[in-house]
């Protein structure tokens, strides 16, 4: 079975301007079931992926019980 990681937070995800096609930030993660400390991973994310995640997470949260806008 593959390792599972928990995404704790996203820090500083930003771009140089409003037309940027790429964003840079840090994912703060932790290996599930491990006593090891939290890790920070530098990431680059394309605008297209952020747009896809926005749509997918929006649908998921809308269906979730207790979600209020």
């Amino acid at each position: 079975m593959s390792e599972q990681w928990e995404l704790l937070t996203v820090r500083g995800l930003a771009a140089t301007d409003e037309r940027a096609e790429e964003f840079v930030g840090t994912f703060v993660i932790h290996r599930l079931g491990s006593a090891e400390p939290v890790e920070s991973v530098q990431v680059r994310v394309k605008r297209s992926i952020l747009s896809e995640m926005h749509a997918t997470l929006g649908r998921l949260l809308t269906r979730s019980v207790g979600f209020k806008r």
Side-chain angles (χ1 to χ4, degrees):
M1 183 176 196
S2 64
E3 293 178 310
Q4 291 189 356
W5 293 84
E6 178 181 18
L7 178 60
L8 301 175
T9 191
V10 178
R11 289 188 184 145
L13 194 60
T16 56
D17 64 50
E18 66 276 0
R19 295 177 308 275
E21 289 298 318
E22 193 171 82
F23 300 80
V24 178
T26 303
F27 282 179
V28 179
I29 61 175
H30 181 261
R31 190 184 330 250
L32 288 178
S34 173
E36 293 179 25
V38 169
E39 295 185 38
S40 294
V41 179
Q42 297 293 316
V43 295
R44 285 189 177 282
V45 184
K46 301 277 186 197
R47 177 179 291 278
S48 59
I49 297 301
L50 289 177
S51 181
E52 182 180 327
M53 288 175 65
H54 179 265
T56 301
L57 293 173
R59 285 192 303 273
L60 176 65
L61 288 172
T62 299
R63 291 193 312 257
S64 296
V65 175
F67 178 71
K68 304 276 191 267
R69 280 201 177 217

